[in-house]
Amino acid sequence: MDEPHARPLVDLVSKLRDQGRGYVPDFDPLDGGVDARVLFLMEKPGPKTDPRNGGSGFISRDNDDPTAAAVFTFMWNARVDRKDVVIWNVVPWWDETITIRAAEWKHGLRHLEMLMEALPRLQAVVLVGKKAGRAAPLFQSRGLPVWHSAHPSARVRAAYPAQHDAIQGIWAEAARSVYQGPEG
């Protein structure tokens, strides 16, 4: 994790871990790190990111859970280049529950400012899930284009199949905006 593209993000994770709010997984070193042009911002890490639960210790499309598998498939099919992406969460820690409390949300939003400073090449943001979508004003105030997609979880697929099916197209559109620019 000492690769130059990962070092500032490793430092960010270390600062977040020092706060003791829960387990903060590492960024995936196979992704773009600070060279990322597209941020895929989800809501909160799941149990499979925590090594105490047999997890990988990373926010990664390679994790052994259905959501990560869906992320992998959607990104592959949408032709989103791994080196152009960083995946993160508004609430960056796993605290043994998927519930997001209001105070936790506000605290997580404050840390997104630090993340933005660590991503100088950022050109687009995909907010993944309704709760993540509430972070749009932060990115829009910086002039970044923002896309909204459903969360790729099995629960969303079962309850809202049309929204789940639309994810790939939304992610592809965000990637095209970066690869081709706004003129297409």
Side-chain angles (χ1 to χ4, degrees), residues 72-127:
F72 183 94
T73 300
F74 284 135
M75 286 194 179
W76 177 265
N77 290 339
R79 293 180 168 78
V80 178
D81 188 331
R82 189 170 199 147
K83 294 299 181 188
D84 288 324
V85 168
V86 67
I87 302 171
W88 196 239
N89 291 280
V90 175
V91 175
W93 53 84
W94 169 248
D95 59 357
E96 304 297 323
T97 178
I98 60 171
T99 301
I100 299 175
R101 294 172 301 282
E104 180 178 45
W105 176 259
K106 288 177 187 174
H107 197 74
L109 282 175
R110 285 195 299 267
H111 293 295
L112 289 179
E113 292 287 344
M114 291 189 318
L115 175 61
M116 298 280 291
E117 292 171 16
L119 300 174
R121 297 187 64 211
L122 193 62
Q123 296 174 23
V125 178
V126 180
L127 300 173

Side-chain angles (χ1 to χ4, degrees), residues 21-183:
R21 293 181 175 275
Y23 180 75
V24 180
D26 286 305
F27 288 85
D28 189 332
L30 298 176
D31 287 347
V34 299
D35 297 325
R37 298 190 293 165
V38 184
L39 168 63
F40 283 81
L41 189 66
M42 301 178 94
E43 298 169 346
K44 185 175 184 177
K48 286 297 186 173
T49 62
D50 188 341
R52 296 172 297 188
N53 296 324
S56 69
F58 296 97
I59 295 293
S60 176
R61 70 191 80 196
D62 298 322
N63 285 346
D64 186 18
D65 65 75
T67 296
V71 169
F72 183 94
T73 300
F74 284 135
M75 286 194 179
W76 177 265
N77 290 339
R79 293 180 168 78
V80 178
D81 188 331
R82 189 170 199 147
K83 294 299 181 188
D84 288 324
V85 168
V86 67
I87 302 171
W88 196 239
N89 291 280
V90 175
V91 175
W93 53 84
W94 169 248
D95 59 357
E96 304 297 323
T97 178
I98 60 171
T99 301
I100 299 175
R101 294 172 301 282
E104 180 178 45
W105 176 259
K106 288 177 187 174
H107 197 74
L109 282 175
R110 285 195 299 267
H111 293 295
L112 289 179
E113 292 287 344
M114 291 189 318
L115 175 61
M116 298 280 291
E117 292 171 16
L119 300 174
R121 297 187 64 211
L122 193 62
Q123 296 174 23
V125 178
V126 180
L127 300 173
V128 182
K130 284 184 181 180
K131 292 177 184 168
R134 296 185 344 222
L138 171 70
F139 301 104
Q140 291 166 332
S141 71
R142 291 178 174 241
L144 290 166
V146 174
W147 282 262
H148 296 263
S149 81
H151 194 280
S153 70
R155 283 185 4 198
V156 170
R157 185 181 66 231
Y160 308 101
Q163 289 179 24
H164 193 270
D165 291 347
I167 293 171
Q168 182 175 305
I170 294 166
W171 292 10
E173 183 181 338
R176 275 193 307 274
S177 80
V178 169
Y179 301 143
Q180 299 174 353
E183 300 303 316

